[in-house]
């Protein structure tokens, strides 16, 4: 279970196995529901993930392109897949991370057996309900 120790500075610094640089993504635009995580937030999220999944678990990223740059290299799962509608995000996806172009609000999401799904739905009620 998640507890406050995840936020300890020592634990966060242990996440330093991530690539650590912001991905080369197209500029965000609010009409695309594209809001980005900061580098420190992405590293914290991957630290939490590393405590929740087995190293062999696949991970699905739904609409979270910034997280691809921070996939820990030391404990990389078998497969990390980013599902995102913006085809330009393919350019910023590092080696070892798959990209699937998919409008999560409208398209069926291809089947994947994932030990964990990280999703960042839009903040607008109708779109959030569609995303879920």
């Amino acid at each position: 279970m998640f507890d406050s120790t995840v936020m300890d500075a020592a634990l966060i610094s242990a996440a330093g196995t991530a690539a650590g640089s912001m991905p080369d993504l197209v500029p965000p635009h609010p009409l695309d529901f594209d809001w980005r995580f900061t580098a420190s937030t992405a590293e914290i999220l991957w630290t939490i993930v590393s405590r929740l999944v087995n190293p062999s678990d696949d991970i699905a990223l739904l609409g979270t392109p910034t997280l691809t740059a921070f996939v820990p290299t030391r404990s990389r799962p078998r497969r990390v897949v980013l599902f995102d509608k913006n085809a330009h995000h393919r350019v910023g996806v590092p080696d070892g991370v798959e990209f699937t172009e998919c409008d999560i609000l409208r398209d069926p999401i291809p089947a994947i057996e994932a030990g964990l799904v990280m999703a960042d739905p839009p903040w607008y009620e109708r779109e959030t309900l569609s995303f879920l």
Side-chain angles (χ1 to χ4, degrees):
M1 195 68 183
F2 175 77
D3 62 36
S4 62
T5 60
V6 172
M7 297 305 168
D8 288 346
L11 183 56
I12 292 168
S13 67
T17 58
S21 61
M22 292 302 287
D24 184 22
L25 301 172
V26 296
H29 193 283
L31 292 179
D32 291 332
F33 309 113
D34 191 348
W35 306 96
R36 310 281 169 86
F37 294 112
T38 64
S40 61
T41 298
E43 289 177 349
I44 290 168
L45 288 171
W46 280 112
T47 299
I48 294 168
V49 167
S50 70
R51 299 179 103 204
L52 296 175
V53 298
N54 294 320
S56 61
D57 283 344
D58 293 345
I59 295 176
L61 305 176
L62 304 182
T64 56
T66 29
L67 294 180
T68 63
F70 298 91
V71 176
T73 56
R74 184 171 45 193
S75 59
R76 179 167 285 173
R78 272 186 312 211
R79 187 172 172 214
V80 175
V81 183
L82 170 63
F83 296 93
D84 198 278
K85 74 176 183 177
N86 192 334
H88 297 290
H89 287 170
R90 181 184 313 272
V91 174
V93 173
D95 292 340
V97 176
E98 297 175 36
F99 177 84
T100 299
E101 186 178 345
C102 175
D103 184 340
I104 298 164
L105 296 176
R106 291 168 186 81
D107 300 335
I109 298 172
I112 179 176
E113 277 192 40
L116 185 124
V117 175
M118 285 201 284
D120 188 20
W123 293 1
Y124 313 106
E125 183 177 10
R126 187 180 78 205
E127 287 78 8
T128 298
L129 294 174
S130 296
F131 195 95
L132 302 175

